[in-house]
Amino acid sequence: MYLLSKIISIYLRLYLIISRIILKNDWHLIANCKEQNNMNQKTVSILGATGSIGIQTLDVIKKNPENYNLNYLTINSNYKKLLEILDIFNPHGVVITDENAYKEFKASTNFKGEILFGYDSLNSIASDNSNDLLVSALVGFSGVIPTYLALQNRIDVALANKETLVSAGNIITQAAKNNNSRLIAIDSEHSAILQCLVGEEVKSVEKIILTASGGPFRNTDLDDFKNITVKQALNHPNWSMGSKITIDSSTMMNKGFEVIEAHWLFGTELSQIDVTIHPQSIIHSMVQFVDGSIKAQLGLPDMKIPISYALNYPERLYYDFQRLTIDKMSKLEFYEPDFQRYPCLRLSYESMELGGNSNAVLNASNEVCVAAFLEERISFIEINQIIEKTLSNIDYIENPDLNQIIETDLESRKYTENLINKKK
Ligand code: NAD
Ligand code: MG
């Protein structure tokens, strides 16, 4: 009996290896098969568990808890939220990167699992081989290294943190390819594209059509842009998200980032990626094929749907999420994006054309500008002006390695901070 099960197990492993080689197509990053330790349970860690995506991931897990083994949760400073999470979930351990929050948490919890501190711990749990899946939901450049380490260690990554692909797309996708690990998009547009691509071949794709809501300033008079307040910019019409991505959506830098993200995830050229403004956010994106046919993925604007798809990919599980009904589809509008209204979208196209380390400059400078805008140190219209200056003043590197990307990130932040400080 033992011998028989051993033979079956060897056969299954051989089958998986061979099918990986045969099935490997150009959706390499998302479509290869991977064994699970236990077909019914995935071991999952979440980076950024107290954030908008982190909490919604936990909400999805809560609906089918038997399917997941919660390994580590990481947070930066919101230890009170973590205490609430631990009333419901019992992960193997937690990592807290902010020192004060770590101390406060230790003093106020009776959690019996591991309690770790700092970025070294965050990096080591990201590369912990007991993970089947790492949910990467940190904000900004902080996601690059843990995501890279996970992929290098053959751990699949459900990626919300698009800034990782913006800053280091080439290095990250190479790490996934070289190690046969999957990068599964959580971003709603890229989840939509992935769903449209199931069963298709790369050569059949003519173009990708990314939809964008247009944000809160779609109809604002251009003369009034100089008076835009933080409160107005944080008031997204369709989605409730963390503050950084909400500001990125109001400038449409977010859509520029998503074009870069689509390029790296699906291997499509820039000329094959169109952006259309679709204020209802019902069609999450579309793919046009060489025979003229278009596939679209539709749904209510609820991130739990793409999160659940990424957690269970390539399977689908039942969830009782609110359903999209026909009446909500009676008015679907589409408009051309206007670079005058959205100069950050223009900047991201220009940066992509430049290639090299430019997107790392774009991302770093944008992070500093968004933080400065949220602190009311710069105005809304200064965001793109400062990024543009930074882009034209940082040394260009054609094929940066990871260290050069990290240096570019630091240098661009410093340069942008100086520009902001000089204004005073
Ligand atoms: P958020 O601000 O709500 O949460 C961020 C989480 O990361 C928090 O747990 C925070 O503690 C942690 N964190 C932030 N900075 C950190 C740092 N420097 N070091 C360590 N931990 C840190 O953000 P969010 O809205 O959940 O977005 C997360 C990522 O997902 C972003 O890259 C965003 O662009 C992307 N995304 C978000 C949505 C959404 O609906 N919220 C949709 C698509 C993509
Ligand atoms: Mg998106």
Side-chain angles (χ1 to χ4, degrees), residues 359-384:
N359 291 339
V361 179
L362 179 81
N363 177 68
S365 183
N366 180 61
E367 271 189 49
V368 174
C369 285
V370 170
F373 172 69
L374 285 168
E375 291 161 7
E376 298 183 338
R377 292 162 61 216
I378 61 172
S379 68
F380 189 80
I381 53 170
E382 283 172 316
I383 297 177
N384 67 281

Side-chain angles (χ1 to χ4, degrees), residues 320-338:
D320 59 358
F321 305 138
Q322 196 189 342
R323 281 2 187 194
L324 173 63
T325 47
I326 294 292
D327 58 302
K328 297 232 168 48
M329 293 187 247
S330 57
K331 191 177 178 199
L332 300 178
E333 299 163 300
F334 303 93
Y335 304 99
E336 276 273 307
D338 165 8

Side-chain angles (χ1 to χ4, degrees), residues 283-346:
I283 296 186
H284 296 305
S285 277
M286 301 176 247
V287 178
Q288 182 164 54
F289 295 93
V290 287
D291 57 359
S293 173
I294 292 182
K295 277 194 196 174
Q297 188 265 342
L298 285 72
L300 289 171
D302 177 356
M303 283 307 295
K304 290 198 277 305
I305 299 172
I307 290 170
S308 69
Y309 191 70
L311 284 180
N312 304 309
Y313 179 86
E315 281 178 58
R316 287 183 195 269
L317 296 189
Y318 171 78
Y319 292 94
D320 59 358
F321 305 138
Q322 196 189 342
R323 281 2 187 194
L324 173 63
T325 47
I326 294 292
D327 58 302
K328 297 232 168 48
M329 293 187 247
S330 57
K331 191 177 178 199
L332 300 178
E333 299 163 300
F334 303 93
Y335 304 99
E336 276 273 307
D338 165 8
F339 281 167
Q340 231 193 321
R341 180 171 296 277
Y342 303 111
C344 284
L345 185 61
R346 168 181 60 80

Side-chain angles (χ1 to χ4, degrees), residues 162 187-190 245 254-255 258:
K162 66 192 85 185
D187 216 348
S188 57
E189 296 76 2
H190 305 76
I245 184 176
N254 183 53
K255 208 48 58 180
E258 290 183 356

